[in-house]
Amino acid sequence: MSTIPKVTIIVVPRERFSYTRQSLESIYEYTKYPFELIYIDGGSPKHIQKYLETQAREKQFKLIRTDYYLSPNYARNLGLKQAHNNPSYQQNNNQYIVFIDNDVVVTSGWLQALIECAEETQATVISPLICQGTPLHEEIHCAGGESGIVEEIKSGTNQAEITRRRIFEKIYKQGKKLAEISPTIQRQKTHLAEYHCVMVRSNIFNQIGYLDEKLLNTKEHVDFCILVNQVGGSIYLEPKSIVTYVPTENLAITDIPYYMLRWSDAWEKSSLQHLRDKWNLTEDEYFQNRYQRLGWRRNLTIINPITRKMPFGKLGTRLASKVLRILDKKLNSYLTNRYRINKHISESMQK
């Protein structure tokens, strides 16, 4: 019998669909290690849906389609449940799951390097060196980091008093040039991995359960890493494996509805409140600042590019930006409510 560890790659939508082709093609071009692929298509536009259906037939991967948009953890769990239903899952104790977003481009040997790290270190979670933006594979996005819960304690006369519980995250080397740090960075233990691309030893889910679907759009990776560390799992960075996440620069028209939902005020606020309650965090200035900044991604990616093109001068531009932000809030609320209703109807019909 083969002793080659079994790998299932699960691709999920991150915030748009227009980079689907580039990402998927890179996986098949640069991955020589054998793998199975499960692709989660959460309500992509028709031309992307047709492309994925064609690719699924040609390349024989499992395509799971919903006609409504999906939060990332919901999509990951769909793929994870599909992998668990595979008869070979229970027969192979060395099975690995790779979660990768649909806007990530991989490099030659990326998966082999992750497998070698896992087998040599017995790591539970293995992160590649994640770069960001274009040109590809030049600027670091995440080279491991730190995450956890910190308790601040005030010493009293009788006993110590916990005054604050806060969550923390620190990403290493972000913004640094790969060429500058590549000669010195080595495989190492870390306490942070990001969902842009991460490989997980599948038996960890027997201990921590499925991913938390109430975390709709923020800090899902931090929550996951804390849970892994709590049960004694280990996280490693493998810099021989390099991938690049390509953030949104120019949204396609068909990307906008999903992008607005993905980064909606309602999803972010709900996620933050769930994170607070789940880990018994103090609702301090961190949360207050996040509440005040709701919608900043939509401002950056949708509103600001529009206002920059308006020939109104500085005063007119500021006024136009203010008006657009007001309209954005109303539209965002409408889209979120409509999504909730449509998703409920679709799920009821499937039952």
Side-chain angles (χ1 to χ4, degrees), residues 33 94 121 187-188 194 216 237 277 289 303 307 326 333:
Y33 191 92
N94 292 325
T121 66
R187 176 191 295 175
Q188 58 191 274
E194 290 206 344
L216 297 168
L237 170 72
D277 296 341
N289 289 336
I303 294 176
T307 56
I326 293 172
S333 177

Side-chain angles (χ1 to χ4, degrees), residues 36-52:
E36 294 183 3
L37 187 135
I38 300 172
Y39 201 105
I40 309 300
D41 176 14
S44 69
K46 288 295 183 183
H47 67 286
I48 299 295
Q49 179 185 358
K50 291 180 180 178
Y51 166 76
L52 288 173

Side-chain angles (χ1 to χ4, degrees), residues 9 11 20 24 28 35-41 51-64:
I9 298 174
V11 185
T20 294
L24 185 61
Y28 278 96
F35 65 93
E36 294 183 3
L37 187 135
I38 300 172
Y39 201 105
I40 309 300
D41 176 14
Y51 166 76
L52 288 173
E53 289 171 348
T54 300
Q55 292 300 305
R57 287 193 299 270
E58 291 180 358
K59 296 181 170 62
Q60 294 296 297
F61 62 78
K62 177 66 176 180
L63 177 64
I64 299 176

Side-chain angles (χ1 to χ4, degrees), residues 10 18-19 34-35 47 65 68 77 82-83 85 98 101 103 134-135 145 152 165 213 226 241 285 309 323 327:
I10 300 174
S18 54
Y19 211 74
F35 65 93
H47 67 286
R65 162 83 182 184
Y68 49 85
N77 279 344
Q82 176 66 36
N85 289 333
V98 174
D101 289 340
D103 57 0
T134 53
E152 296 183 3
R165 278 175 58 89
E213 294 178 11
I226 293 173
S241 175
E285 62 274 9
K309 296 178 182 178
V323 171
L327 293 174

Side-chain angles (χ1 to χ4, degrees), residues 165-311:
R165 278 175 58 89
R166 60 182 179 85
I167 196 166
F168 74 91
E169 173 189 14
K170 182 177 181 181
I171 300 173
Y172 292 161
K173 308 296 184 182
Q174 191 168 81
K176 300 290 186 180
K177 294 299 182 182
L178 177 60
E180 296 174 1
I181 71 164
S182 183
T184 59
I185 193 166
Q186 298 178 347
R187 176 191 295 175
Q188 58 191 274
K189 260 191 172 182
T190 184
H191 286 88
L192 182 71
E194 290 206 344
Y195 275 135
H196 294 295
C197 180
V198 64
M199 190 173 81
V200 182
R201 197 178 291 270
S202 59
N203 59 14
I204 190 64
F205 297 106
N206 296 330
Q207 296 177 263
I208 67 172
Y210 286 107
L211 305 176
D212 191 339
E213 294 178 11
K214 291 184 179 180
L215 292 172
L216 297 168
N217 74 353
T218 189
K219 300 303 178 188
E220 313 101 294
H221 63 291
V222 176
D223 175 78
F224 173 68
C225 291
I226 293 173
L227 289 172
V228 169
N229 286 317
Q230 275 191 342
V231 299
S234 59
I235 304 172
Y236 270 78
L237 170 72
E238 178 47 75
K240 291 182 180 179
S241 175
I242 299 173
V243 305
T244 295
Y245 130 73
V246 183
T248 302
E249 294 180 356
N250 296 301
L251 284 172
I253 295 297
T254 51
D255 286 332
I256 292 176
Y258 177 52
Y259 188 90
M260 292 192 74
L261 176 69
R262 170 70 165 88
W263 301 117
S264 63
D265 294 358
W267 276 24
E268 184 167 5
K269 191 171 183 179
S270 177
S271 299
L272 289 168
Q273 290 172 343
H274 176 67
L275 187 75
R276 176 200 63 197
D277 296 341
K278 178 176 183 176
W279 295 105
N280 192 27
L281 303 174
T282 306
E283 193 167 68
D284 54 13
E285 62 274 9
Y286 167 79
F287 285 96
Q288 298 307 318
N289 289 336
R290 290 292 299 266
Y291 296 150
Q292 290 176 8
R293 296 179 67 236
L294 294 177
W296 69 270
R297 289 179 186 269
R298 304 194 309 276
N299 294 336
L300 184 67
T301 306
I302 299 174
I303 294 176
N304 290 354
I306 294 175
T307 56
R308 282 197 296 266
K309 296 178 182 178
M310 291 182 172

Side-chain angles (χ1 to χ4, degrees), residues 112-124:
Q112 180 71 43
L114 294 179
I115 292 292
E116 289 174 357
C117 178
E119 294 294 288
E120 292 169 11
T121 66
Q122 296 303 301
T124 310

